[in-house]
Amino acid sequence: QIDLLEAELASAAAGEPRAVGVVGEAGSGKSRLCFEFAERCRDRGYRVFEARVTAHGHATPYQPIVELARDFLGIKPGMLASEAQERVESVMSAYGVDDETLALLLGFLGLVDPDQPTAQTDPAMRKKRLVELVRLFVRSGPQLQPALILLEDLHWIDAASEEFIDVIADAITGTKTMLLLNFRHGYSAPWMQRSHYRQINLSSLADTESEGLLRLLLGSDSSLALVSRNIAH
């Protein structure tokens, strides 16, 4: 399947962006396949942006979008809030973003002082500006090399974030970007109807294949038999 991903990346590199969904049940290897592919892209010097929806994603609005925005802006894990704020201000200044939109973005990223009063923004206007910012992030940057946006475990995504995925799927048009998403069977979304969407279905391992893989990883000692059965089932 990684060869299929390479073919879609080649299309993106040629100016035909792709949104690719990797579909399979838990344990089918979705995340491993995407990880290996993302590492290949990094090894080639391509930009890779990624976010993962957490298991409690339905109860955490915008969690993957915040994570992705932080990655776009170069905010690293463990970075001090003051340093992250300076980073955002610097990047947004280069884009010519006004102070009100900057304040909105900082609040969205959780980088504002909770003791400081913030301007109240109409929810619809707030969302419209955030959508414009996400579109800006996706379409900005050099296009000499392809880029990869990886979003994992979409089956747990909240409805608010899902609308932004639709925006991203449209925003890659005209770029050399590949949008790679993985999710379990049963998940569906409007962006799957786009002409540039492709899907890769992963089948679960047969019992004999699972047993063989576990023997390879854990060994064949009889004391591990119960552990192996629990993992396989």
Side-chain angles (χ1 to χ4, degrees):
Q1 286 87 352
I2 203 162
D3 289 337
L4 295 177
L5 292 179
E6 289 284 2
E8 301 301 348
L9 180 65
S11 294
E16 298 179 9
R18 288 287 188 267
V20 181
V22 177
V23 190
E25 296 304 327
S28 60
K30 301 184 300 298
S31 291
R32 185 65 187 183
L33 174 63
C34 291
F35 170 79
E36 294 289 351
F37 183 68
E39 288 300 292
R40 285 192 180 195
C41 291
R42 288 191 179 94
D43 289 343
R44 296 168 187 167
Y46 299 164
R47 297 179 302 153
V48 177
F49 307 105
E50 58 185 311
R52 179 188 296 273
V53 184
T54 61
H56 54 276
H58 288 297
T60 315
Y62 300 120
Q63 171 263 320
I65 307 305
V66 170
E67 189 176 328
L68 192 63
R70 283 174 166 264
D71 205 0
F72 278 129
L73 291 163
I75 300 174
K76 306 300 182 184
M79 184 179 284
L80 294 174
S82 58
E83 185 181 356
Q85 183 172 339
E86 289 176 4
R87 171 69 184 173
V88 174
E89 291 172 351
S90 175
V91 174
M92 291 296 97
S93 175
Y95 288 144
V97 170
D98 60 72
D99 291 342
E100 188 176 353
T101 302
L102 173 61
L104 174 65
L105 177 60
L106 290 172
F108 183 67
L109 297 173
L111 296 175
V112 293
D113 186 342
D115 296 327
Q116 293 293 323
T118 56
Q120 297 299 312
T121 306
D122 174 71
M125 181 57 68
R126 176 178 183 269
K127 187 169 187 177
K128 180 181 179 181
R129 288 183 175 178
L130 289 172
V131 163
E132 291 170 351
L133 285 172
V134 169
R135 185 178 288 112
L136 173 65
F137 295 152
V138 173
R139 299 185 64 82
S140 65
Q143 292 294 325
L144 298 178
Q145 298 280 9
L148 175 70
I149 299 174
L150 171 59
L151 292 162
E152 299 207 60
D153 294 332
L154 258 65
H155 46 274
W156 284 320
I157 200 167
D158 63 286
S161 295
E162 199 160 27
E163 293 183 46
F164 281 82
I165 308 302
D166 208 50
V167 170
I168 294 170
D170 279 339
I172 64 173
T173 304
T175 72
K176 293 184 178 182
T177 300
M178 176 175 169
L179 174 61
L180 179 59
L181 320 102
N182 65 49
F183 44 89
R184 296 177 187 172
H185 290 292
Y187 173 80
S188 63
W191 46 263
M192 293 179 179
Q193 305 305 315
R194 302 294 194 277
S195 61
H196 57 283
Y197 176 69
R198 304 290 184 271
Q199 186 161 298
I200 298 173
N201 294 292
L202 301 182
S203 57
S204 300
L205 293 176
D207 289 344
T208 54
E209 293 174 317
S210 297
E211 291 167 3
L213 179 59
L214 288 169
R215 278 197 302 272
L216 178 65
L217 296 173
L218 301 178
S220 55
D221 192 285
S222 59
S223 64
L224 296 171
L226 180 59
V227 176
S228 297
R229 281 199 297 272
N230 287 337
I231 294 174
H233 302 287

